[in-house]
Amino acid sequence: AAQTSFIGRKAELQQIEATIHDPDCRLIRLVGPGGCGKTRLALQAAGKVMHSFADGACFVSLEACASIRYLVSTIAQALRFDIDGYASDFDPKTQLLDYLRNRSILLIMDGFEHLVEGAGLLSEILEAAPKVKLIVTSRQRLGLHGEWVLQVEGLPVHLAGDYAEHRSPDAVHLFCIRARQANADFQLVETQQE
């Protein structure tokens, strides 16, 4: 469960929800610069749609996955699936694909930018497991056929003249929350510009 509040992004959430429910979409990629909120947006969206999947949703953090060599084991670990080292056909990828084959699950693959060379595994998962859908966060394109892309930007900031009309824009609201987390005495003071 997220430990921070979720601010704004109503339109993006609706778009992701509609896209995930679209039968033609199996892979949606949230792309944007670091720190713009891709992970938090993916988690919030997953929380809204996971009831549509019999096996729910699974968050796969790829931050500590140093190489594509560990991608299969990282996914298996997040799924709490033990790869059988004693199986007659000890191929971890085959075991993972077999495990997912009949599952109805949403996989959130977070931070894929340093593993783009392993994007073919995502295609293999989608091919082997027709009821699996993926949300992938990345700073760059995966180059996969069939990926649906949503560009994620920072929250919009209203200019000073607009601020009077929009007393609580999402970016200012989020800034104030994070500032109070760092310093409980923080107060936003509006000043007049000359």
Side-chain angles (χ1 to χ4, degrees), residues 14-36:
Q14 290 172 341
Q15 185 176 3
I16 294 169
E17 187 172 359
T19 303
I20 288 174
H21 288 305
D22 187 322
D24 292 327
C25 176
R26 301 278 314 285
L27 166 63
I28 183 168
R29 185 174 53 83
L30 307 182
V31 65
C36 72

Side-chain angles (χ1 to χ4, degrees), residues 33-96:
C36 72
K38 297 181 298 293
T39 300
R40 194 65 178 83
L41 180 59
L43 287 170
Q44 192 74 14
K48 289 186 163 291
V49 299
M50 66 186 286
H51 64 278
S52 302
F53 297 86
D55 298 299
C58 178
F59 180 78
V60 183
S61 174
L62 299 169
E63 184 179 351
C65 185
S67 157
I68 61 171
R69 202 171 48 201
Y70 306 112
L71 189 53
V72 168
S73 60
T74 300
I75 296 169
Q77 184 177 23
L79 288 164
R80 294 190 168 108
F81 167 65
D82 292 325
I83 292 173
D84 185 357
Y86 299 103
S88 57
D89 176 19
F90 178 63
D91 176 25
K93 181 169 71 171
T94 300
Q95 290 184 47
L96 176 65

Side-chain angles (χ1 to χ4, degrees), residues 163-186:
Y163 186 70
E165 298 169 25
H166 306 281
R167 284 276 173 204
S168 294
D170 294 335
V172 173
H173 184 75
L174 180 61
F175 171 80
C176 291
I177 289 171
R178 298 299 177 256
R180 283 195 303 272
Q181 286 175 327
N183 178 357
D185 294 331
F186 173 82

Side-chain angles (χ1 to χ4, degrees), residues 94-113:
T94 300
Q95 290 184 47
L96 176 65
L97 296 177
D98 285 345
Y99 174 80
L100 289 170
R101 190 169 313 283
N102 296 314
R103 298 270 188 297
S104 169
I105 191 168
L106 176 64
L107 292 177
I108 301 98
M109 310 288 290
D110 185 49
F112 210 87
E113 54 273 345

